PDB file of all heavy atoms in Angstrom:
ATOM      1  N   ALA A   1     219.182   7.382 186.089  1.00 96.00           N
ATOM      2  CA  ALA A   1     219.543   8.321 187.097  1.00 96.00           C
ATOM      3  C   ALA A   1     218.798   9.621 186.772  1.00 96.00           C
ATOM      4  O   ALA A   1     218.488   9.895 185.617  1.00 96.00           O
ATOM      5  CB  ALA A   1     220.950   8.529 187.268  1.00 96.00           C
ATOM      6  N   PRO A   2     218.539  10.501 187.801  1.00 97.00           N
ATOM      7  CA  PRO A   2     217.803  11.687 187.431  1.00 97.00           C
ATOM      8  C   PRO A   2     218.625  12.655 186.582  1.00 97.00           C
ATOM      9  O   PRO A   2     219.826  12.732 186.736  1.00 97.00           O
ATOM     10  CB  PRO A   2     217.637  12.259 188.874  1.00 97.00           C
ATOM     11  CG  PRO A   2     217.753  11.324 189.794  1.00 97.00           C
ATOM     12  CD  PRO A   2     218.679  10.290 189.197  1.00 97.00           C
ATOM     13  N   GLU A   3     217.927  13.308 185.676  1.00 97.00           N
ATOM     14  CA  GLU A   3     218.549  14.354 184.797  1.00 97.00           C
ATOM     15  C   GLU A   3     217.802  15.649 184.815  1.00 97.00           C
ATOM     16  O   GLU A   3     216.504  15.623 184.846  1.00 97.00           O
ATOM     17  CB  GLU A   3     218.593  13.809 183.361  1.00 97.00           C
ATOM     18  CG  GLU A   3     219.398  12.499 183.108  1.00 97.00           C
ATOM     19  CD  GLU A   3     219.342  12.081 181.695  1.00 97.00           C
ATOM     20  OE1 GLU A   3     218.719  12.794 180.855  1.00 97.00           O
ATOM     21  OE2 GLU A   3     219.744  10.897 181.433  1.00 97.00           O
ATOM     22  N   ARG A   4     218.517  16.708 184.983  1.00 97.00           N
ATOM     23  CA  ARG A   4     217.877  18.030 185.026  1.00 97.00           C
ATOM     24  C   ARG A   4     217.536  18.502 183.628  1.00 97.00           C
ATOM     25  O   ARG A   4     218.341  18.349 182.744  1.00 97.00           O
ATOM     26  CB  ARG A   4     218.736  19.027 185.747  1.00 97.00           C
ATOM     27  CG  ARG A   4     218.060  20.372 185.938  1.00 97.00           C
ATOM     28  CD  ARG A   4     218.770  21.289 186.870  1.00 97.00           C
ATOM     29  NE  ARG A   4     218.029  22.516 187.158  1.00 97.00           N
ATOM     30  CZ  ARG A   4     218.095  23.256 188.169  1.00 97.00           C
ATOM     31  NH1 ARG A   4     218.857  22.877 189.207  1.00 97.00           N
ATOM     32  NH2 ARG A   4     217.448  24.358 188.224  1.00 97.00           N
ATOM     33  N   GLY A   5     216.374  19.065 183.407  1.00 97.00           N
ATOM     34  CA  GLY A   5     215.990  19.593 182.202  1.00 97.00           C
ATOM     35  C   GLY A   5     216.209  21.065 181.944  1.00 97.00           C
ATOM     36  O   GLY A   5     216.839  21.713 182.819  1.00 97.00           O
ATOM     37  N   PRO A   6     215.786  21.619 180.868  1.00 97.00           N
ATOM     38  CA  PRO A   6     215.952  23.011 180.568  1.00 97.00           C
ATOM     39  C   PRO A   6     215.216  23.905 181.553  1.00 97.00           C
ATOM     40  O   PRO A   6     214.347  23.392 182.279  1.00 97.00           O
ATOM     41  CB  PRO A   6     215.402  23.220 179.154  1.00 97.00           C
ATOM     42  CG  PRO A   6     214.468  22.032 178.959  1.00 97.00           C
ATOM     43  CD  PRO A   6     215.010  20.892 179.837  1.00 97.00           C
ATOM     44  N   GLU A   7     215.635  25.161 181.613  1.00 96.00           N
ATOM     45  CA  GLU A   7     214.939  26.141 182.547  1.00 96.00           C
ATOM     46  C   GLU A   7     213.463  26.227 182.283  1.00 96.00           C
ATOM     47  O   GLU A   7     213.072  26.366 181.069  1.00 96.00           O
ATOM     48  CB  GLU A   7     215.616  27.487 182.457  1.00 96.00           C
ATOM     49  CG  GLU A   7     216.945  27.567 183.112  1.00 96.00           C
ATOM     50  CD  GLU A   7     216.868  27.250 184.543  1.00 96.00           C
ATOM     51  OE1 GLU A   7     216.023  27.869 185.203  1.00 96.00           O
ATOM     52  OE2 GLU A   7     217.554  26.369 185.022  1.00 96.00           O
ATOM     53  N   PRO A   8     212.667  26.178 183.242  1.00 96.00           N
ATOM     54  CA  PRO A   8     211.157  26.293 183.064  1.00 96.00           C
ATOM     55  C   PRO A   8     210.754  27.734 182.901  1.00 96.00           C
ATOM     56  O   PRO A   8     211.605  28.628 182.987  1.00 96.00           O
ATOM     57  CB  PRO A   8     210.641  25.761 184.391  1.00 96.00           C
ATOM     58  CG  PRO A   8     211.711  26.034 185.378  1.00 96.00           C
ATOM     59  CD  PRO A   8     212.963  25.929 184.689  1.00 96.00           C
ATOM     60  N   PRO A   9     209.463  28.010 182.682  1.00 96.00           N
ATOM     61  CA  PRO A   9     209.054  29.352 182.695  1.00 96.00           C
ATOM     62  C   PRO A   9     209.250  30.076 184.014  1.00 96.00           C
ATOM     63  O   PRO A   9     209.607  29.424 185.019  1.00 96.00           O
ATOM     64  CB  PRO A   9     207.494  29.265 182.369  1.00 96.00           C
ATOM     65  CG  PRO A   9     207.363  27.922 181.676  1.00 96.00           C
ATOM     66  CD  PRO A   9     208.448  27.096 182.313  1.00 96.00           C
ATOM     67  N   GLY A  10     209.110  31.382 184.045  1.00 94.00           N
ATOM     68  CA  GLY A  10     209.340  32.088 185.257  1.00 94.00           C
ATOM     69  C   GLY A  10     208.393  31.766 186.353  1.00 94.00           C
ATOM     70  O   GLY A  10     207.300  31.227 186.118  1.00 94.00           O
ATOM     71  N   GLY A  11     208.816  32.097 187.618  1.00 93.00           N
ATOM     72  CA  GLY A  11     207.955  31.736 188.795  1.00 93.00           C
ATOM     73  C   GLY A  11     206.633  32.364 188.768  1.00 93.00           C
ATOM     74  O   GLY A  11     205.602  31.734 189.157  1.00 93.00           O
ATOM     75  N   ALA A  12     206.459  33.600 188.140  1.00 96.00           N
ATOM     76  CA  ALA A  12     205.171  34.266 188.105  1.00 96.00           C
ATOM     77  C   ALA A  12     204.187  33.494 187.275  1.00 96.00           C
ATOM     78  O   ALA A  12     203.032  33.295 187.592  1.00 96.00           O
ATOM     79  CB  ALA A  12     205.331  35.704 187.641  1.00 96.00           C
ATOM     80  N   ALA A  13     204.686  33.014 186.078  1.00 97.00           N
ATOM     81  CA  ALA A  13     203.816  32.261 185.197  1.00 97.00           C
ATOM     82  C   ALA A  13     203.433  30.950 185.792  1.00 97.00           C
ATOM     83  O   ALA A  13     202.331  30.477 185.679  1.00 97.00           O
ATOM     84  CB  ALA A  13     204.571  32.042 183.840  1.00 97.00           C
ATOM     85  N   ILE A  14     204.369  30.232 186.448  1.00 98.00           N
ATOM     86  CA  ILE A  14     204.113  28.906 187.088  1.00 98.00           C
ATOM     87  C   ILE A  14     203.033  29.177 188.191  1.00 98.00           C
ATOM     88  O   ILE A  14     202.022  28.395 188.354  1.00 98.00           O
ATOM     89  CB  ILE A  14     205.405  28.354 187.654  1.00 98.00           C
ATOM     90  CG1 ILE A  14     206.282  27.886 186.507  1.00 98.00           C
ATOM     91  CG2 ILE A  14     204.994  27.160 188.576  1.00 98.00           C
ATOM     92  CD1 ILE A  14     207.698  27.504 186.882  1.00 98.00           C
ATOM     93  N   ALA A  15     203.180  30.245 188.940  1.00 98.00           N
ATOM     94  CA  ALA A  15     202.207  30.526 190.049  1.00 98.00           C
ATOM     95  C   ALA A  15     200.868  30.705 189.518  1.00 98.00           C
ATOM     96  O   ALA A  15     199.861  30.245 190.016  1.00 98.00           O
ATOM     97  CB  ALA A  15     202.723  31.815 190.814  1.00 98.00           C
ATOM     98  N   ARG A  16     200.755  31.473 188.396  1.00 98.00           N
ATOM     99  CA  ARG A  16     199.383  31.656 187.708  1.00 98.00           C
ATOM    100  C   ARG A  16     198.835  30.341 187.303  1.00 98.00           C
ATOM    101  O   ARG A  16     197.631  30.094 187.489  1.00 98.00           O
ATOM    102  CB  ARG A  16     199.539  32.575 186.491  1.00 98.00           C
ATOM    103  CG  ARG A  16     199.672  34.102 186.767  1.00 98.00           C
ATOM    104  CD  ARG A  16     199.462  34.914 185.615  1.00 98.00           C
ATOM    105  NE  ARG A  16     200.462  34.605 184.525  1.00 98.00           N
ATOM    106  CZ  ARG A  16     201.642  35.237 184.436  1.00 98.00           C
ATOM    107  NH1 ARG A  16     202.020  36.100 185.248  1.00 98.00           N
ATOM    108  NH2 ARG A  16     202.473  34.888 183.466  1.00 98.00           N
ATOM    109  N   CYS A  17     199.646  29.397 186.725  1.00 98.00           N
ATOM    110  CA  CYS A  17     199.100  28.093 186.324  1.00 98.00           C
ATOM    111  C   CYS A  17     198.557  27.292 187.480  1.00 98.00           C
ATOM    112  O   CYS A  17     197.698  26.502 187.400  1.00 98.00           O
ATOM    113  CB  CYS A  17     200.263  27.372 185.744  1.00 98.00           C
ATOM    114  SG  CYS A  17     200.754  27.968 184.101  1.00 98.00           S
ATOM    115  N   LEU A  18     199.102  27.605 188.708  1.00 98.00           N
ATOM    116  CA  LEU A  18     198.661  26.861 189.891  1.00 98.00           C
ATOM    117  C   LEU A  18     197.689  27.618 190.757  1.00 98.00           C
ATOM    118  O   LEU A  18     197.414  27.303 191.951  1.00 98.00           O
ATOM    119  CB  LEU A  18     199.910  26.559 190.722  1.00 98.00           C
ATOM    120  CG  LEU A  18     200.905  25.579 190.132  1.00 98.00           C
ATOM    121  CD1 LEU A  18     202.132  25.453 190.931  1.00 98.00           C
ATOM    122  CD2 LEU A  18     200.368  24.180 189.947  1.00 98.00           C
ATOM    123  N   ARG A  19     197.176  28.765 190.212  1.00 98.00           N
ATOM    124  CA  ARG A  19     196.157  29.601 190.957  1.00 98.00           C
ATOM    125  C   ARG A  19     196.803  30.188 192.262  1.00 98.00           C
ATOM    126  O   ARG A  19     196.093  30.293 193.267  1.00 98.00           O
ATOM    127  CB  ARG A  19     194.961  28.833 191.265  1.00 98.00           C
ATOM    128  CG  ARG A  19     194.189  28.332 190.024  1.00 98.00           C
ATOM    129  CD  ARG A  19     192.918  27.543 190.420  1.00 98.00           C
ATOM    130  NE  ARG A  19     192.296  26.982 189.266  1.00 98.00           N
ATOM    131  CZ  ARG A  19     191.380  26.053 189.296  1.00 98.00           C
ATOM    132  NH1 ARG A  19     191.039  25.492 190.479  1.00 98.00           N
ATOM    133  NH2 ARG A  19     190.828  25.544 188.208  1.00 98.00           N
ATOM    134  N   LEU A  20     198.068  30.462 192.232  1.00 98.00           N
ATOM    135  CA  LEU A  20     198.760  31.033 193.352  1.00 98.00           C
ATOM    136  C   LEU A  20     199.380  32.364 192.899  1.00 98.00           C
ATOM    137  O   LEU A  20     199.457  32.733 191.807  1.00 98.00           O
ATOM    138  CB  LEU A  20     199.877  30.085 193.790  1.00 98.00           C
ATOM    139  CG  LEU A  20     199.453  28.665 194.273  1.00 98.00           C
ATOM    140  CD1 LEU A  20     200.682  27.847 194.552  1.00 98.00           C
ATOM    141  CD2 LEU A  20     198.603  28.787 195.460  1.00 98.00           C
ATOM    142  N   GLY A  21     199.930  33.083 193.941  1.00 97.00           N
ATOM    143  CA  GLY A  21     200.628  34.332 193.736  1.00 97.00           C
ATOM    144  C   GLY A  21     202.094  34.046 193.695  1.00 97.00           C
ATOM    145  O   GLY A  21     202.633  33.008 194.140  1.00 97.00           O
ATOM    146  N   PRO A  22     202.888  35.012 193.020  1.00 97.00           N
ATOM    147  CA  PRO A  22     204.323  34.832 192.952  1.00 97.00           C
ATOM    148  C   PRO A  22     204.981  34.663 194.210  1.00 97.00           C
ATOM    149  O   PRO A  22     206.004  33.937 194.300  1.00 97.00           O
ATOM    150  CB  PRO A  22     204.715  36.106 192.172  1.00 97.00           C
ATOM    151  CG  PRO A  22     203.543  36.609 191.484  1.00 97.00           C
ATOM    152  CD  PRO A  22     202.338  36.233 192.420  1.00 97.00           C
ATOM    153  N   GLU A  23     204.374  35.247 195.357  1.00 97.00           N
ATOM    154  CA  GLU A  23     205.040  35.210 196.660  1.00 97.00           C
ATOM    155  C   GLU A  23     204.872  33.841 197.278  1.00 97.00           C
ATOM    156  O   GLU A  23     205.503  33.468 198.290  1.00 97.00           O
ATOM    157  CB  GLU A  23     204.381  36.253 197.617  1.00 97.00           C
ATOM    158  CG  GLU A  23     202.888  35.968 197.947  1.00 97.00           C
ATOM    159  CD  GLU A  23     201.896  36.368 196.861  1.00 97.00           C
ATOM    160  OE1 GLU A  23     202.334  36.886 195.835  1.00 97.00           O
ATOM    161  OE2 GLU A  23     200.666  36.143 197.146  1.00 97.00           O
ATOM    162  N   ASP A  24     203.966  33.026 196.637  1.00 98.00           N
ATOM    163  CA  ASP A  24     203.750  31.680 197.232  1.00 98.00           C
ATOM    164  C   ASP A  24     204.789  30.637 196.827  1.00 98.00           C
ATOM    165  O   ASP A  24     204.992  29.623 197.369  1.00 98.00           O
ATOM    166  CB  ASP A  24     202.377  31.120 196.797  1.00 98.00           C
ATOM    167  CG  ASP A  24     201.203  31.859 197.358  1.00 98.00           C
ATOM    168  OD1 ASP A  24     201.331  32.251 198.592  1.00 98.00           O
ATOM    169  OD2 ASP A  24     200.259  32.127 196.773  1.00 98.00           O
ATOM    170  N   VAL A  25     205.496  30.953 195.731  1.00 98.00           N
ATOM    171  CA  VAL A  25     206.467  29.994 195.078  1.00 98.00           C
ATOM    172  C   VAL A  25     207.814  30.371 195.490  1.00 98.00           C
ATOM    173  O   VAL A  25     208.347  31.561 195.387  1.00 98.00           O
ATOM    174  CB  VAL A  25     206.349  30.034 193.528  1.00 98.00           C
ATOM    175  CG1 VAL A  25     207.361  29.139 192.897  1.00 98.00           C
ATOM    176  CG2 VAL A  25     204.906  29.581 193.114  1.00 98.00           C
ATOM    177  N   LEU A  26     208.597  29.413 196.019  1.00 97.00           N
ATOM    178  CA  LEU A  26     209.999  29.637 196.464  1.00 97.00           C
ATOM    179  C   LEU A  26     210.848  29.834 195.291  1.00 97.00           C
ATOM    180  O   LEU A  26     210.695  29.383 194.187  1.00 97.00           O
ATOM    181  CB  LEU A  26     210.542  28.506 197.274  1.00 97.00           C
ATOM    182  CG  LEU A  26     210.253  28.593 198.855  1.00 97.00           C
ATOM    183  CD1 LEU A  26     208.796  28.651 199.146  1.00 97.00           C
ATOM    184  CD2 LEU A  26     210.882  27.361 199.565  1.00 97.00           C
ATOM    185  N   THR A  27     211.960  30.608 195.468  1.00 94.00           N
ATOM    186  CA  THR A  27     212.948  30.805 194.477  1.00 94.00           C
ATOM    187  C   THR A  27     214.323  30.404 194.989  1.00 94.00           C
ATOM    188  O   THR A  27     214.456  29.756 196.046  1.00 94.00           O
ATOM    189  CB  THR A  27     213.020  32.346 194.131  1.00 94.00           C
ATOM    190  OG1 THR A  27     213.315  33.160 195.340  1.00 94.00           O
ATOM    191  CG2 THR A  27     211.612  32.812 193.623  1.00 94.00           C
ATOM    192  N   GLY A  28     215.387  30.783 194.243  1.00 92.00           N
ATOM    193  CA  GLY A  28     216.740  30.417 194.672  1.00 92.00           C
ATOM    194  C   GLY A  28     216.932  28.940 194.539  1.00 92.00           C
ATOM    195  O   GLY A  28     216.587  28.283 193.604  1.00 92.00           O
ATOM    196  N   ASP A  29     217.630  28.392 195.582  1.00 89.00           N
ATOM    197  CA  ASP A  29     217.984  26.839 195.578  1.00 89.00           C
ATOM    198  C   ASP A  29     216.721  26.035 195.490  1.00 89.00           C
ATOM    199  O   ASP A  29     216.824  24.878 195.063  1.00 89.00           O
ATOM    200  CB  ASP A  29     218.771  26.502 196.801  1.00 89.00           C
ATOM    201  CG  ASP A  29     220.218  27.060 196.780  1.00 89.00           C
ATOM    202  OD1 ASP A  29     220.558  27.479 195.725  1.00 89.00           O
ATOM    203  OD2 ASP A  29     220.882  27.002 197.812  1.00 89.00           O
ATOM    204  N   ARG A  30     215.597  26.493 195.965  1.00 94.00           N
ATOM    205  CA  ARG A  30     214.352  25.702 195.888  1.00 94.00           C
ATOM    206  C   ARG A  30     213.351  26.314 194.838  1.00 94.00           C
ATOM    207  O   ARG A  30     212.207  26.087 194.980  1.00 94.00           O
ATOM    208  CB  ARG A  30     213.678  25.673 197.242  1.00 94.00           C
ATOM    209  CG  ARG A  30     214.401  24.690 198.156  1.00 94.00           C
ATOM    210  CD  ARG A  30     214.088  23.256 197.814  1.00 94.00           C
ATOM    211  NE  ARG A  30     214.930  22.271 198.564  1.00 94.00           N
ATOM    212  CZ  ARG A  30     215.928  21.652 198.088  1.00 94.00           C
ATOM    213  NH1 ARG A  30     216.354  21.737 196.835  1.00 94.00           N
ATOM    214  NH2 ARG A  30     216.598  20.790 198.839  1.00 94.00           N
ATOM    215  N   GLY A  31     213.883  26.937 193.891  1.00 96.00           N
ATOM    216  CA  GLY A  31     213.108  27.443 192.793  1.00 96.00           C
ATOM    217  C   GLY A  31     212.668  26.385 191.880  1.00 96.00           C
ATOM    218  O   GLY A  31     213.094  25.237 191.907  1.00 96.00           O
ATOM    219  N   PRO A  32     211.609  26.666 191.009  1.00 98.00           N
ATOM    220  CA  PRO A  32     211.127  25.640 190.083  1.00 98.00           C
ATOM    221  C   PRO A  32     212.248  25.084 189.141  1.00 98.00           C
ATOM    222  O   PRO A  32     213.065  25.813 188.693  1.00 98.00           O
ATOM    223  CB  PRO A  32     210.054  26.443 189.299  1.00 98.00           C
ATOM    224  CG  PRO A  32     209.647  27.585 190.135  1.00 98.00           C
ATOM    225  CD  PRO A  32     210.907  27.955 190.956  1.00 98.00           C
ATOM    226  N   ALA A  33     212.142  23.707 188.986  1.00 98.00           N
ATOM    227  CA  ALA A  33     213.102  23.114 188.113  1.00 98.00           C
ATOM    228  C   ALA A  33     212.461  21.836 187.543  1.00 98.00           C
ATOM    229  O   ALA A  33     211.672  21.171 188.219  1.00 98.00           O
ATOM    230  CB  ALA A  33     214.368  22.803 188.837  1.00 98.00           C
ATOM    231  N   GLY A  34     212.937  21.455 186.356  1.00 98.00           N
ATOM    232  CA  GLY A  34     212.421  20.246 185.693  1.00 98.00           C
ATOM    233  C   GLY A  34     213.477  19.131 185.870  1.00 98.00           C
ATOM    234  O   GLY A  34     214.657  19.317 185.637  1.00 98.00           O
TER     235      GLY A  34
END
């Protein structure tokens, strides 16, 4: 069954990894999660 992992890096860092801006990545209930 699915298991949630530890908190990932912040949204700004993830956006940089994806060549996107922080405003492109959703937060809150739909924020990044492992």
Side-chain angles (χ1 to χ4, degrees):
E3 298 176 9
R4 185 167 183 152
E7 284 301 307
I14 291 170
R16 284 193 298 271
C17 292
L18 295 172
R19 299 179 184 164
L20 299 174
E23 70 282 358
D24 293 321
V25 175
L26 271 58
T27 58
D29 288 348
R30 284 287 172 252

